[in-house]
């Protein structure tokens, strides 16, 4: 096989092998990524999530299984093309839409899903919400989670460009809190966790895709 001018389809370096239907370099990580992306080929309903955050991946799996039935869920690292902690509903929605479309492009799948947390201001209160977008290659459907008021210090720091998760870690003393119970989990003694918020937003975004509702949208 001719590798002249061929680039690794994962990292862009010089290709040396052809594996899982892709030209690749010999870097273990690239081979692993190509294997993961090719896994999708033989599964029926594959859902690609535009994040590697386990909370979001698990929430998408639970949300889809609750509404549409069994799926194979793959998390992939994609750009949201918005700030790391979007402010306002529009920017948060855009982040979720970009993640969904980028994930759909990256993995052979039935749906691309983006979940983006953002901060919306209402009456001087800063509310954290999660927006979910589900993209099927043609149209997107959207849903929002429940929202909760951020403690002032967290909101002030987000407005200064410090991600909510960083301040949440300081307040709770829980490392990587955004990748497990979330600030919401800390504030509610785990009565509501970040996975619940993410799963709610997924279920909301799937309402227009339920058989009984399709003709209404
Ligand atoms: O502890 C938390 N509990 C929450 O309820 C919560 N909601 C939002 N955030 C933080 O907001 C930023 C953007 O969120 P985000 O959508 O970019 O998610 P993320 O950065 O965790 O994952 P991802 O970007 O790898 O997909 C990140 O700093 C998140 O930690 C939360 N942190
Ligand atoms: Mg993030």
């Amino acid at each position: 096989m001719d590798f002249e001018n061929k680039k690794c389809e994962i990292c862009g370096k010089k290709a040396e092998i052809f594996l899982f239907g892709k030209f690749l370099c010999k870097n273990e990580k690239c081979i692993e990524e190509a294997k993961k992306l090719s896994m999708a080929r033989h599964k029926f309903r594959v859902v690609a999530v535009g994040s590697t955050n386990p909370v979001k991946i698990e929430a998408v799996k639970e949300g889809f299984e609750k509404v549409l039935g069994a799926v194979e869920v793959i998390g992939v690292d994609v750009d949201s093309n918005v700030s790391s902690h979007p402010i306002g509903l529009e920017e948060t929605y855009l982040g979720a839409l970009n993640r969904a479309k980028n994930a759909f492009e990256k993995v052979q799948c039935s749906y691309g899903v983006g979940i983006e947390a953002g901060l919306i201001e209402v009456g001087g209160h800063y509310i954290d919400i999660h927006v979910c977008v589900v993209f099927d290659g043609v149209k997107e459907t959207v849903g929002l989670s429940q929202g909760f008021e951020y403690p002032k210090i967290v909101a002030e720091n987000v407005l200064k460009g410090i991600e909510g998760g960083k301040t949440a870690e300081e307040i709770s003393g829980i490392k990587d809190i955004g990748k497990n119970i979330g600030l919401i989990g800390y504030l509610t003694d785990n009565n509501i966790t970040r996975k619940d918020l993410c799963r709610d937003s997924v279920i909301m975004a799937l309402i227009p895709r339920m058989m009984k509702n399709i003709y209404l949208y």
Side-chain angles (χ1 to χ4, degrees):
M1 183 169 277
D2 172 18
F3 289 99
E4 198 55 36
N5 307 322
K6 287 283 186 296
K7 294 252 182 278
C8 172
E9 290 180 57
I10 304 291
C11 72
K13 289 203 182 90
K14 184 168 170 7
E16 298 172 84
I17 52 175
F18 186 79
L19 211 52
F20 304 120
K22 290 188 186 308
F23 285 99
L24 299 169
C25 64
K26 285 190 174 162
N27 178 313
E28 276 306 306
K29 277 202 177 136
C30 292
I31 293 170
E32 203 39 50
E33 181 74 3
K35 184 177 169 203
K36 191 168 84 166
L37 297 177
S38 76
M39 253 170 52
R41 252 185 258 289
H42 63 279
K43 298 275 179 191
F44 172 52
R45 250 187 325 205
V46 172
V47 175
V49 183
S51 170
T52 54
N53 183 333
V55 165
K56 294 184 179 181
I57 296 169
E58 200 43 42
V60 167
K61 186 167 176 56
E62 291 180 12
F64 265 80
E65 289 185 346
K66 202 174 174 72
V67 179
L68 295 187
V71 288
E72 170 84 17
V73 177
I74 298 180
V76 282
D77 191 18
V78 296
D79 283 333
S80 66
N81 302 111
V82 296
S83 63
S84 61
H85 200 146
I87 293 170
L89 202 45
E90 195 56 42
E91 189 189 4
T92 309
Y93 164 74
L94 211 52
L97 179 66
N98 293 336
R99 288 171 185 256
K101 289 188 169 178
N102 291 336
F104 188 84
E105 284 311 309
K106 199 163 180 182
V107 180
Q108 257 193 312
C109 57
S110 312
Y111 300 102
V113 179
I115 298 178
E116 187 74 43
L119 210 53
I120 50 177
E121 187 270 334
V122 56
H125 303 273
Y126 283 93
I127 311 294
D128 170 275
I129 43 109
H130 288 73
V131 177
C132 174
V133 169
V134 178
F135 179 64
D136 58 21
V138 177
K139 76 174 175 110
E140 70 271 359
T141 49
V142 60
L144 265 61
S145 70
Q146 309 170 68
F148 71 102
E149 183 167 9
Y150 255 179
K152 233 165 192 40
I153 178 67
V154 185
E156 283 164 359
N157 281 352
V158 173
L159 295 172
K160 284 185 222 157
I162 302 165
E163 275 196 49
K166 294 267 171 297
T167 315
E169 274 184 28
E170 285 157 22
I171 293 174
S172 63
I174 303 171
K175 182 100 185 70
D176 279 342
I177 186 169
K179 291 181 169 44
N180 52 64
I181 62 166
L183 178 58
I184 181 73
Y186 174 73
L187 294 173
T188 63
D189 288 340
N190 270 339
N191 282 305
I192 299 179
T193 64
R194 192 177 183 202
K195 185 171 78 171
D196 297 331
L197 299 183
C198 291
R199 186 184 53 242
D200 285 355
S201 69
V202 173
I203 293 170
M204 294 298 112
L206 288 174
I207 290 173
R209 296 180 183 278
M210 292 170 68
M211 284 314 281
K212 62 183 284 295
N213 301 332
I214 287 179
Y215 77 100
L216 292 169
Y217 287 83

